[in-house]
Amino acid sequence: MTKYIFVTGGVVSSLGKGITAASLGVLLKRRGYRVSIIKMDPYINVDAGAMSPFQHGEVFVTVDGAETDLDLGHYERFIDEAIMGDNSCTTGKVYSAVIQRERAGGYGGATVQVIPHITNEIQDRIERVGKGKDVVIAEIGGTVGDIEGLPYLEAIRQLAGRVGRGNILYCHVTLVPYIAASGELKTKPTQHSVNELRRIGIQPDIIVCRSQYTVGAELREKIGLFCSVPAGAVFEAIDSDSIYRIPIVLHSQKFDDLVLEKLGLPGDNAPDMKDWEEFLHKYDNRKGELTVALVGKYTEIKDAYLSVNEAVSHAGIANGVKVKMMPVASEDLEAPGAEKILEGADAVLVPGGFGQRGVEGMIVAAKYAREHNVPYFGLCLGMQIAVIEFARNVLGLSGANSLEMDENTENPVIYLMEEQKNVTDVGGTSRLGAYPCDITAGSRSEKIYGANHIEERHRHRFEFNNSYIEEFDAAGMKVAGVCPTGGQVEIMENVNHPWMIGVQFHPEFLSRPVKPHPLFNAFIAAALDIQKKKEAK
């Protein structure tokens, strides 16, 4: 029977519930268990697709095209398995489903209420992702006490009656703050948080304490006493220089052993974390430093390009070098002479984005990289930027005056996809999810991937105008990848440049700590090679 682990949080947000859930996921998977993880977000948005990066960080796109919370990216990077749309549950999805069923007469005229109809819908979604799995780990967004999270907490309380209490484990992540004035760690916030959870009817089985400093045995005993949890079930998650240390840290405390014991699952096999430990060894032994200019629209928000930053980090570690990300707000490059901002960069990366704002600054960045032989990597919008810059400054095309479709521009080089022209719904309107790509034989991309056929994830509404392929090709900006099902250009390479590649997809979603994405790996390797050649002169 499927087992269920629920990860809740208290005191403050951003404590690391997602990393705790992901860490447990990788530990259980490495023990041989079939694991799935679901994120339950109490916001009323149906999905994260129309949410501003300034408020919510990046949108993580799944294989089946769901636009989800960034925590699902953590799940994928840790357990190295594709997460689907069903692994993201929001209040918007839940209420939409219940209301549609009510309108169709699905409740037989009953009065539809939060209990049992909303809570049943939540439980059904949890059980759905558990089909064929040994363990489901469910993270409840927000903190205990948030009014919008109450239906989820009630649902996971009720689920114990549906599947049996022995098949459920409640893990509560809480804060143990350090008070500098007294020089002490304080357990009272944890006590209050657990009391709030118990008032709802949930007694945690395990408590994970997030802290700046070691939570010693005495404090663990105190927490255990006041929270009705054995001291051996109180774990610490100290602030770390890398989130990828957390699985090892928790395993060293026998966290996964206790989880399996409480769920009645065999724990004989230790998790095989050899490659993970090798990754951390490489992390600790990096030498030198590369600076990558990240030129985007939302650079002031740390989480807006989370997967991109992680993918660059993975590639840096694989290449044995520390990578310093230099955020550059694209609008800052629009002033005359502003390209000097990029002079300290060893490479330039332009990520995805929507809308016209900041596009001209990105074009400046692409021009700088092309003219100064600085490695350039364009992701989605970043590919389109490289195309526009090349069209303007190399080909002199009049159709390259803007990114957005301009009614006054005849035959623009980047234009709105045909199937997007009549779309009016704000949510889920882009070309989303995984699509195939055939890579051109003999291209740099073929050498990088070591394959002629790949599949990558997309999130875009604009595309390259294929009527320009021959003109671009003749000038050295060659098409290196095409979608076989629709003919869309997927990869473009400037063959007259040391390393200038643009891709219409988002390769960052497939990068893993122990398996960096080949494009990011090659990008960092190229920048490192050029840096070494400069130093040798």
Side-chain angles (χ1 to χ4, degrees), residues 59 193 221 223 238 255 351 408:
V59 173
S193 179
E221 289 179 6
I223 290 170
I238 304 174
F255 178 68
N408 299 317

Side-chain angles (χ1 to χ4, degrees), residues 18-33 35-37 74-81 137 243-248 250-251 256 270-273 275-276 513-514:
I19 300 302
T20 300
S23 296
L24 181 56
V26 71
L27 290 171
L28 295 183
K29 183 186 175 184
R30 297 299 182 93
R31 283 178 175 264
Y33 288 100
V35 178
S36 186
I37 310 184
H74 287 312
Y75 303 160
E76 280 210 5
R77 284 186 286 273
F78 275 67
I79 69 173
D80 193 21
E81 286 187 16
I137 302 171
I243 59 173
Y244 301 113
R245 291 198 197 279
I246 305 304
I248 304 298
L250 290 176
H251 176 64
D256 45 322
D272 182 3
M273 300 292 286
D275 58 345
W276 205 277
V514 297

Side-chain angles (χ1 to χ4, degrees), residues 219-496:
L219 284 181
R220 293 190 196 195
E221 289 179 6
K222 182 178 180 180
I223 290 170
L225 177 64
F226 281 93
C227 299
S228 299
V229 172
V234 180
F235 298 88
E236 63 178 17
I238 304 174
D239 293 353
S240 176
D241 61 337
S242 172
I243 59 173
Y244 301 113
R245 291 198 197 279
I246 305 304
I248 304 298
V249 168
L250 290 176
H251 176 64
S252 69
Q253 299 173 65
K254 301 188 182 301
F255 178 68
D256 45 322
D257 289 330
L258 183 61
V259 167
L260 293 174
E261 179 187 326
K262 286 184 173 291
L263 289 174
L265 292 172
D268 301 331
N269 295 328
D272 182 3
M273 300 292 286
K274 184 178 179 181
D275 58 345
W276 205 277
E277 291 168 347
E278 289 174 354
F279 165 81
L280 291 172
H281 178 75
K282 290 179 181 178
Y283 175 90
D284 291 331
N285 290 278
R286 293 168 295 165
K287 295 179 181 179
E289 185 175 275
L290 275 179
T291 299
V292 174
L294 179 68
V295 182
K297 297 168 180 277
Y298 324 111
T299 50
E300 60 266 52
I301 306 300
K302 181 181 178 181
D303 287 340
Y305 302 112
L306 180 61
S307 290
V308 173
N309 287 324
E310 290 300 307
V312 171
S313 175
H314 301 161
I317 294 165
N319 281 280
V321 65
K322 294 180 181 179
V323 179
K324 175 186 176 184
M325 298 300 286
M326 182 174 80
V328 178
S330 55
E331 288 177 291
D332 291 347
L333 291 173
E334 295 176 4
E339 65 272 10
K340 290 183 178 180
I341 295 172
L342 301 171
E343 288 181 354
D346 298 298
V348 173
L349 192 155
V350 178
F354 290 88
Q356 186 68 30
R357 182 181 67 83
V359 162
E360 291 301 320
M362 295 178 184
I363 293 171
V364 170
K367 183 174 185 288
Y368 175 88
R370 180 179 58 81
E371 292 182 341
H372 291 81
N373 288 329
V374 174
Y376 175 93
F377 194 12
L379 312 178
C380 195
L381 173 61
M383 184 199 89
Q384 297 167 5
I385 293 297
V387 165
I388 293 170
E389 189 281 322
F390 195 87
R392 281 188 190 180
N393 300 313
V394 177
L395 299 178
L397 295 176
S398 60
N401 65 331
S402 70
L403 173 70
E404 300 287 0
M405 177 173 260
D406 186 343
E407 298 298 332
N408 299 317
T409 299
E410 186 178 350
N411 203 28
V413 294
I414 298 293
Y415 64 172
L416 192 66
M417 300 179 75
E418 200 63 39
E419 64 266 30
Q420 296 291 322
K421 289 181 179 178
N422 298 316
V423 174
T424 56
D425 183 9
V426 176
T429 58
S430 303
R431 181 174 180 244
L432 292 163
Y435 286 86
C437 172
D438 289 338
I439 300 179
T440 306
S443 66
R444 176 174 281 156
S445 295
E446 181 196 38
K447 183 178 180 181
I448 290 171
Y449 274 102
N452 292 110
H453 183 81
I454 60 168
E455 190 175 89
E456 294 277 4
R457 299 183 200 178
H458 295 66
R459 186 181 184 237
H460 64 105
R461 302 190 71 197
F462 289 80
E463 66 176 324
F464 177 76
N465 185 340
N466 287 11
S467 66
Y468 285 108
I469 288 178
E470 290 186 8
E471 198 166 351
F472 271 76
D473 185 82
M477 181 70 89
K478 295 182 179 292
V479 174
V482 175
C483 179
T485 58
Q488 295 91 353
V489 170
E490 297 283 0
I491 307 174
M492 296 197 76
E493 301 175 355
N494 187 333
V495 298
N496 298 320

